[in-house]
Amino acid sequence: MFTLWIFLIEIIVQFSISSSGKVPSIIVFGDSSVDTGNNNFIPTMARSNFKPYGRDFFNGNPTGRFSNGRIPPDFISEAFGLKPIVPAYLDPAYSISDFATGVCFASAGTGFDNATSNVADVIPLWKEVEYYKDYQIKLRAHVGEEKANKILSEALYLVSIGTNDFLENYYTLPERRCQFNSVQQYEDFLIVLAENFFRKIYDLGARKISLTALPPMGCLPLERAINVLHYHGCVEGYNDVALEFNAKMGRLVTKLNNDLYGFQLVDANAYDILLQIVTQPSSFGFEDARVGCCGTGRFEMGFFCDPQSPFTCKDANKYVFWDAFHPSEKTSQIVSNYLIEKYLSKFL
C-alpha cells in the first residue's frame, strides 16, 4: 500500500506540474534541512561533505547534504519540472547559468537568531539574504533586467528553519535563557525576526514562498537518546514547543498575506506527516524510527558520522533518520511529496 501510495502521488504531482511550468526556479533559504552544500565552503565544523554522507546520491558523492542522498529542495525542484538537484550558491563548480533555475543559500546550523549561527560559525540568515542580493545582480547581468525580474517574482522560495534556534541555542546555551524568562518569550522574539526576514525578501521581489518551521523535534534520535528517564521516548516538552511555535508562525503567515500585496506565503507545515512517520514507521515502509542509520544512530551527525563505523546500517531506506538529527533520503521524498500535494499545488 505504501509503494502504491507514493507511486500515485508522484504521478499526480508530475502530471499536474508538467502541464503548467509556472515556476521557473527554486530558491532556498534555511538550515541543514535544506542546505545543499554551502557549508563546504566556509570554515565550520558543521559539514557533511564526506562519506558515508551522500552514499545514495548520484554516483555516491558526498555533497554537503546532511543525508544519504537528496533532500527536499532537490525533490521539489525535480517535481516542478526543473533540475533534479538545487546547487549551493557558494559551490564554485556552478555558475549563474546553473543558478538561474535553482539556487540554495541555506546553511546547516543556522537559525532566525544570529546567536544560533554563532554556535557553529555558520552563515547567519541575514548573510543568506546578502548572498541573494548578490545573486540578483548576477542574474540580471546574465539574462537581462526584465527576464530576471520575472524569474525572481515567479520563483518558488523554500524556507525551512527554526529547529537550531531551540535545540542548539536556547536549550543548550545559557545566554538566551537568561535574556528571556520563558521559552514562549523566545518564540515571540523569533517571530519578530521571521517577520523582518519575510518583509525583506518581499521587498527584494519574492512572492511565492513555502515556509516549513519546526518538526516534532523531541522525536529526533539525539533527543530520544538522552531522554533516559522516559525510556528513550520522544521528548514531549520539545514537541509541545514545536506545536506552539508553529501555531504562531501560522498566524504570522496570515498577517503577512494580508499586509503585503501579491504575497503568497504558504504555511507548509511538515510536523504532522513527520510525526506520523515516526509513530507509524511500518505504514511508510520503514523498520526503525528510533535511531538513525549512521553509526549507532543515537548521537552521530556531522564529523561524528564515521565512515569506518561498523554500526552503520546497510540499507538507509529502512530508517526514518539518516543520522541522529536528519531524515533519510526516503523520508525526505515522502515529506516532499506530501508538501507538494497538500500545500504547494496552488503554485501549479
Side-chain angles (χ1 to χ4, degrees), residues 126-182:
W126 68 264
K127 184 65 173 179
E128 291 186 25
V129 175
E130 291 302 308
Y131 284 134
Y132 174 55
K133 292 179 183 178
D134 182 62
Y135 162 74
Q136 289 192 346
I137 294 171
K138 293 178 180 177
L139 185 65
R140 290 188 170 101
H142 178 63
V143 300
E145 185 83 14
E146 183 177 350
K147 186 173 182 180
N149 289 341
K150 184 173 179 60
I151 291 173
L152 296 170
S153 64
E154 293 294 331
L156 175 59
Y157 294 74
L158 306 180
V159 180
S160 178
I161 192 169
T163 304
N164 296 314
D165 288 312
F166 293 93
L167 297 185
E168 304 300 320
N169 185 357
Y170 184 83
Y171 286 118
T172 304
L173 303 175
E175 179 183 351
R176 291 307 191 201
R177 290 202 308 279
C178 291
Q179 184 178 353
F180 299 97
N181 294 327
S182 68

Side-chain angles (χ1 to χ4, degrees), residues 22-30 34 72-73 76-77 80 82 86 99-105 128-129 131-133 135-136 139-140 147-161 197-198 200-212 262-268 339 343-344 347:
K22 291 182 181 179
V23 172
S25 182
I26 301 293
I27 299 176
V28 186
F29 294 94
V34 289
I76 293 172
S77 175
F80 272 79
L82 300 170
V86 176
F99 298 142
T101 56
V103 61
C104 176
F105 304 105
E128 291 186 25
V129 175
Y131 284 134
Y132 174 55
K133 292 179 183 178
Y135 162 74
Q136 289 192 346
L139 185 65
R140 290 188 170 101
K147 186 173 182 180
N149 289 341
K150 184 173 179 60
I151 291 173
L152 296 170
S153 64
E154 293 294 331
L156 175 59
Y157 294 74
L158 306 180
V159 180
S160 178
I161 192 169
F197 164 74
F198 287 118
K200 187 170 297 183
I201 63 172
Y202 172 83
D203 289 341
L204 291 170
R207 291 296 181 269
K208 303 175 180 179
I209 303 178
S210 167
L211 165 65
T212 300
F263 203 44
Q264 300 180 71
L265 178 57
V266 175
D267 182 12
L339 294 180
Y343 300 110
L344 304 184
F347 300 122

Side-chain angles (χ1 to χ4, degrees), residues 13-316:
V13 167
Q14 292 290 351
F15 176 78
S16 299
I17 293 173
S18 63
S19 63
S20 93
K22 291 182 181 179
V23 172
S25 182
I26 301 293
I27 299 176
V28 186
F29 294 94
D31 56 24
S32 60
S33 60
V34 289
D35 180 5
T36 59
N38 283 306
N39 279 19
N40 300 350
F41 307 99
I42 62 173
T44 177
M45 291 290 288
R47 294 188 185 181
S48 58
N49 57 334
F50 50 85
K51 295 181 177 181
Y53 286 98
R55 72 180 195 185
D56 298 312
F57 196 76
F58 302 114
N59 298 319
N61 291 327
T63 62
R65 290 165 173 80
F66 279 79
S67 172
N68 57 302
R70 290 191 289 168
I71 58 177
D74 302 315
F75 290 116
I76 293 172
S77 175
E78 184 175 46
F80 272 79
L82 300 170
K83 295 176 182 177
I85 63 169
V86 176
Y89 187 61
L90 298 185
D91 191 337
Y94 298 97
S95 67
I96 190 61
S97 61
D98 301 300
F99 298 142
T101 56
V103 61
C104 176
F105 304 105
S107 176
T110 202
F112 285 113
D113 187 352
N114 287 338
T116 302
S117 64
N118 294 336
V119 174
D121 292 323
V122 299
I123 303 168
L125 188 57
W126 68 264
K127 184 65 173 179
E128 291 186 25
V129 175
E130 291 302 308
Y131 284 134
Y132 174 55
K133 292 179 183 178
D134 182 62
Y135 162 74
Q136 289 192 346
I137 294 171
K138 293 178 180 177
L139 185 65
R140 290 188 170 101
H142 178 63
V143 300
E145 185 83 14
E146 183 177 350
K147 186 173 182 180
N149 289 341
K150 184 173 179 60
I151 291 173
L152 296 170
S153 64
E154 293 294 331
L156 175 59
Y157 294 74
L158 306 180
V159 180
S160 178
I161 192 169
T163 304
N164 296 314
D165 288 312
F166 293 93
L167 297 185
E168 304 300 320
N169 185 357
Y170 184 83
Y171 286 118
T172 304
L173 303 175
E175 179 183 351
R176 291 307 191 201
R177 290 202 308 279
C178 291
Q179 184 178 353
F180 299 97
N181 294 327
S182 68
V183 68
Q184 287 75 26
Q185 289 183 3
Y186 185 61
E187 292 168 12
D188 294 339
F189 169 69
L190 294 179
I191 292 296
V192 173
L193 297 179
E195 179 171 357
N196 292 340
F197 164 74
F198 287 118
R199 288 185 180 275
K200 187 170 297 183
I201 63 172
Y202 172 83
D203 289 341
L204 291 170
R207 291 296 181 269
K208 303 175 180 179
I209 303 178
S210 167
L211 165 65
T212 300
L214 303 186
M217 56 189 183
C219 294
L220 299 177
L222 178 62
E223 305 309 324
R224 296 180 71 156
I226 59 181
N227 192 23
V228 179
L229 295 179
H230 292 88
Y231 307 100
H232 302 293
C234 295
V235 182
E236 295 304 331
Y238 286 175
N239 285 353
D240 290 341
V241 167
L243 287 170
E244 187 174 64
F245 182 72
N246 288 348
K248 291 179 180 181
M249 273 295 195
R251 291 191 287 273
L252 175 62
V253 167
T254 300
K255 175 186 177 184
L256 290 174
N257 283 331
N258 289 332
D259 288 355
L260 303 176
Y261 177 77
F263 203 44
Q264 300 180 71
L265 178 57
V266 175
D267 182 12
N269 194 326
Y271 183 99
D272 290 341
I273 183 64
L274 283 168
L275 186 64
Q276 189 177 355
I277 293 171
V278 168
T279 56
Q280 305 171 43
S282 62
S283 298
F284 296 88
F286 295 106
E287 295 181 5
D288 201 325
R290 296 176 64 87
V291 300
C293 168
C294 186
T296 65
R298 298 180 182 275
F299 303 100
E300 296 91 341
M301 62 178 174
F303 282 104
F304 293 104
C305 196
D306 186 354
Q308 305 302 320
S309 174
F311 300 109
T312 297
C313 76
K314 302 298 183 184
D315 183 3

